[in-house]
Amino acid sequence: MTGQDAPGGSGPAIDIRSVCKSYTRGQQTVPVLQNVSFHIAKGEFVALMGPSGSGKSTLLNLIAGIDRVDSGSIFVSGADITTLSESELARWRSRSVGFIFQFYNLIPVLTALENVELPLLLTPLSARERRKHAEAALALVGLADRMDHKPSELSGGQQQRTAIARAIVTDPDILVADEPTGDLDRVSAGEILDLMAGLSESLNKTIVMVTHDPRAAQRAHLVRSLEKGLLIDAGNGAEGGNGNADAPLHS
Amino acid sequence: MALLVSYSLRNLLARRMTTVLTAGGMALVVFVFAAALMLAEGLRSTLVQTGTPGNALVLRKGSKSEIESVVERGVASLVETRSEIARDADGSALAASEVVVLINLAKRGTGEASNVMLRGIGQKSLALRPQVRLVSGRMPRFGSSEIVAGEGVARRFKGAGLGEKLRFGMREWTVVGIFDAGATGFNSEIWGDVDQFMNAFRRNAYTLLLVRLVSEDSLGAFRNGVEADPRLKLDVKAEAVFYAEQSEMMAKFLKILGVSLTAIFSIGAMIGAMITMHAAVAGRVGEIGTLRALGFPRRSILTAFVLEALFLGLLGGAVGLLAASGLQLFTISTMNFQTFSELAFGFSLTPGIVILSLAFGTGMGLLGGLIPALRAARIKIVDALRAV
């Protein structure tokens, strides 16, 4: 079925297989994700929804390779990232993942251009090429005239655009976004969602977005809902969250 | 790498107040450290320069300082006949029998009494000490109650200026000249005719005999000859070595005092630097998480924070050193406990002290920054990101 509704779908970009994850709080072990399986086709824009503590951010972190599964595996573009070592994972992230955070996470002492250039430091590109790429990415998000501004001199929406430019500057396979509109007013949020939808459409980027906001979720091609660590059917209650999660749930 | 360096630098600039205070603390420590070394070095170079290569001092056996020594007239004449001593054009030995006496003089301003060394000089004393130069007036006439004062004495003691009169040895003495002996101990002495001084102080023996050797290599032969002669009971020392030994105890004392003070201060400064770096880490945990998420390895994070600490230390070191270098304008006068006389010397900055001080500053920064940097690099990405 993979992504028949998604533009440019051709085999799963992300394949999550029986992933379990729990946290230890004091003496107690709290299960966060229980045997979650599903996949996301290339070019798809997926929204992960669910109440607080449902495990959606944990799932996003696992997909992005900044946290480790307890069991199960996650294939991104065919490679199992759960088997990678710490440094291999860091290298993989720098090449394959673009991050968009709720609070933008720009480095306050660097300019917009330098912030966007940051991930390129991990590539063999020359300084001139890095600058060219960063400028192009900023132009793409409509900030060509704000390159030399520090984050504190930019509005929330502009900061998030800068963060998106930083996320796409290395041309990664997937973009992960954790509440990207959570800190923005309605207008800015709308613009950011337009931008993300545009990236999915025109650049065929696979986007996984965690959100609380139903309006944000509406812009995704499909919505997956989590509750208490289980994947459930967004509209029709529990889907079970194990194995047979192929059929995407449309928003 | 350039962006990483500028990231570290700009983080320091962004927290200007903290940076200034922390670097200021380290600067103070480096200042004390450099000042102590400069003082010890100043003292050492003053006393080392006091000697002239090729000159040898003949003193009573076992004398550790000039004032302990006594050389009988007859003994001095005997030594002067030795062949290792260079000769003048007229065939006389290039040697001077001198007497050294300590007197008490009142300081200008405070009127406080302090010891000053009198040196009764012979006809050849001046020729044997080329570093001594008359800056005003003239040299005393032999056979008269005329004296010349070293610049240091003339400046600091009452009645020691040009044309002024001093009273000691139950006589009045006129200062007819001021001499400059560079950065040597002679600058803190008063010189006059050796025979006049011996009369005034009722001495019938010299203190020491200063000789110019035929060559520096003949010191060994001269020493062996003199020390082997059972009539003499004398020690022979190279002049430069003798004066260097005079400073040993003082220089060691200053160095130990300086280094132990610095050690105590630097612990405080290091804790300060650590607190600053810890605060820097705590305030930027989110940033660290972001950088790690973007794929920066732990190594880079460590490098960035260590760089920041190094910059901080280097800044502190440079400022402290700059302040310390200003001390070169000051002259210190102190009692040299080995000769019991006043000795004036300056702070002396050498390239070695510059390097040592800067290394000390950066080392302090590095030590202060390393633990917080290691902590910064070890935070789990997910935990770090929560701190945004």
Side-chain angles (χ1 to χ4, degrees):
Chain A
M1 80 93 240
T2 46
Q4 51 216 124
D5 301 303
S10 57
I14 303 167
D15 193 355
I16 297 158
R17 296 183 189 168
S18 314
V19 163
C20 293
K21 176 77 185 172
S22 56
Y23 285 118
T24 318
R25 284 213 186 91
Q27 303 280 317
Q28 275 192 313
T29 304
V30 184
V32 183
L33 294 173
Q34 301 177 48
N35 207 22
V36 170
S37 301
F38 75 105
H39 53 239
I40 298 167
K42 183 158 173 53
E44 232 167 9
F45 182 1
V46 180
L48 288 176
M49 289 196 79
S52 295
S54 59
K56 57 189 188 306
S57 287
T58 301
L59 185 57
L60 191 76
N61 290 341
L62 292 173
I63 293 170
I66 55 173
D67 204 354
R68 296 286 198 167
V69 298
D70 290 345
S71 65
S73 36
I74 298 172
F75 289 85
V76 178
S77 305
D80 185 357
I81 62 166
T82 57
T83 60
L84 299 179
S85 73
E86 189 73 25
S87 54
E88 285 170 337
L89 203 57
R91 254 200 306 283
W92 172 78
R93 281 197 304 274
S94 71
R95 277 197 315 265
S96 313
V97 188
F99 287 87
I100 303 166
F101 304 94
Q102 179 176 1
F103 300 107
Y104 335 124
N105 291 27
L106 298 174
I107 307 298
V109 296
L110 301 181
T111 64
L113 186 69
E114 287 166 334
N115 264 290
V116 175
E117 201 186 323
L118 214 48
L120 295 176
L121 293 181
L122 299 163
T123 65
L125 291 180
S126 70
R128 181 195 296 253
E129 287 171 316
R130 286 203 303 265
R131 199 184 155 86
K132 229 170 72 189
H133 279 73
E135 283 172 353
L138 274 170
L140 194 70
V141 299
L143 284 179
D145 55 341
R146 289 280 189 277
M147 290 186 189
D148 297 323
H149 290 240
K150 294 268 174 66
S152 58
E153 298 160 350
L154 299 171
S155 72
Q158 287 170 334
Q159 289 189 53
Q160 193 60 297
R161 282 165 185 274
T162 309
I164 292 174
R166 179 179 66 187
I168 58 173
V169 75
T170 53
D171 195 22
D173 300 336
I174 59 171
L175 292 180
V176 294
D178 196 353
E179 305 270 13
T181 59
D183 198 45
L184 296 174
D185 61 67
R186 251 178 93 172
V187 178
S188 302
E191 287 169 3
I192 292 299
L193 289 167
D194 286 343
L195 186 58
M196 289 174 66
L199 290 174
S200 158
E201 309 267 335
S202 58
L203 299 179
N204 200 25
K205 294 280 173 216
T206 309
I207 302 178
V208 188
M209 171 176 73
V210 161
T211 185
H212 272 113
D213 181 2
R215 269 193 305 271
Q218 267 172 20
R219 303 298 301 269
H221 301 139
L222 56 108
V223 177
R224 312 289 334 227
S225 289
L226 279 149
E227 207 172 299
K228 290 182 182 157
L230 296 166
L231 207 55
I232 56 162
D233 187 303
N236 317 321
E239 189 192 273
N242 55 349
N244 183 24
D246 274 2
L249 296 156
H250 299 272
S251 54
Chain B
M1 190 60 194
L3 191 58
L4 210 63
V5 171
S6 102
Y7 167 71
S8 302
L9 271 178
R10 275 192 243 175
N11 271 310
L12 286 176
L13 282 176
R15 294 185 315 280
R16 221 160 287 156
M17 198 61 195
T18 323
T19 303
V20 166
L21 287 177
T22 312
M26 293 206 254
L28 275 177
V29 178
V30 172
F31 173 78
V32 174
F33 178 74
L37 291 183
M38 283 165 69
L39 204 57
E41 175 60 27
L43 179 67
R44 199 191 61 80
S45 67
T46 295
L47 288 167
V48 166
Q49 283 171 33
T50 303
T52 306
N55 280 5
L57 283 176
V58 182
L59 300 139
R60 182 170 70 179
K61 206 166 206 50
S63 299
K64 294 270 180 274
S65 68
E66 289 176 308
I67 41 172
E68 290 172 50
S69 172
V70 176
V71 179
E72 300 292 338
R73 285 173 193 265
V75 169
S77 314
L78 256 169
V79 174
E80 277 183 34
T81 61
R82 292 202 63 89
S83 61
E84 296 90 354
I85 298 173
R87 303 273 148 191
D88 241 354
D90 61 5
S92 62
L94 261 176
S97 303
E98 297 183 342
V99 69
V100 171
V101 183
L102 273 180
I103 58 161
N104 236 302
L105 289 181
K107 283 194 183 172
R108 290 185 197 278
T110 59
E112 208 179 298
S114 190
N115 284 342
V116 172
M117 209 186 253
L118 291 184
R119 185 180 297 273
I121 56 168
Q123 304 277 358
K124 305 232 167 80
S125 286
L126 212 58
L128 289 169
R129 295 204 172 89
Q131 69 272 55
V132 175
R133 199 167 46 80
L134 205 62
V135 286
S136 59
R138 55 177 175 80
M139 283 311 280
R141 279 191 307 266
F142 284 89
S144 72
S145 296
E146 291 177 347
I147 49 173
V148 282
E151 264 194 321
V153 174
R155 205 173 52 241
R156 296 201 319 278
F157 288 91
K158 270 186 196 161
L162 186 63
E164 293 184 292
K165 290 185 192 314
L166 278 173
R167 218 186 144 70
F168 55 80
M170 289 183 292
R171 258 205 242 173
E172 195 157 76
W173 307 79
T174 311
V175 182
V176 296
I178 305 293
F179 66 84
D180 173 21
T184 70
F186 300 130
N187 243 359
S188 305
E189 293 182 357
I190 292 176
W191 289 8
D193 179 356
V194 62
D195 295 318
Q196 296 301 314
F197 280 0
M198 282 169 80
N199 277 335
F201 291 96
R202 299 200 163 58
R203 299 271 178 108
N204 43 28
Y206 297 118
T207 301
L208 60 100
L209 181 67
L210 175 67
V211 303
R212 167 71 46 82
L213 297 172
V214 179
S215 74
E216 278 184 59
D217 305 329
S218 43
L219 179 71
F222 182 59
R223 174 184 289 142
N224 292 341
V226 170
E227 292 182 0
D229 191 329
R231 294 169 299 172
L232 302 180
K233 296 199 176 62
L234 296 171
D235 276 343
V236 170
K237 278 197 172 128
E239 195 190 17
V241 172
F242 176 77
Y243 287 113
E245 281 174 5
Q246 299 277 291
S247 73
E248 239 178 358
M249 203 167 82
M250 245 344 229
K252 214 182 259 171
F253 171 71
L254 287 175
K255 226 175 218 167
I256 290 172
L257 184 75
V259 168
S260 44
L261 272 181
T262 312
I264 296 165
F265 284 1
S266 65
I267 292 170
M270 219 118 72
I271 291 172
M274 250 186 212
I275 291 170
T276 308
M277 290 311 292
H278 257 295
V281 172
R284 295 198 334 254
V285 167
E287 260 175 72
I288 294 164
T290 307
L291 289 172
R292 295 276 313 282
L294 293 180
F296 282 90
R298 285 205 161 99
R299 208 178 45 245
S300 302
I301 310 283
L302 197 66
T303 310
F305 276 83
V306 165
L307 268 180
E308 213 174 301
L310 276 180
F311 282 137
L312 208 56
L314 196 64
L315 184 69
V319 171
L321 194 62
L322 202 69
S325 73
L327 288 175
Q328 287 178 105
L329 301 173
F330 295 95
T331 306
I332 296 283
S333 74
T334 185
M335 179 74 90
N336 184 348
F337 295 108
Q338 267 161 302
T339 58
F340 294 105
S341 61
E342 278 266 318
L343 181 69
F345 57 96
F347 290 88
S348 158
L349 188 62
T350 63
I353 294 177
V354 171
I355 293 168
L356 218 58
S357 301
L358 287 180
F360 182 65
T362 42
M364 214 164 30
L366 188 66
L367 270 180
L370 200 60
I371 294 169
L374 281 172
R375 203 175 77 101
R378 230 177 286 151
I379 302 170
K380 274 177 76 180
I381 303 173
V382 184
D383 295 336
L385 282 174
R386 262 187 225 123
V388 173

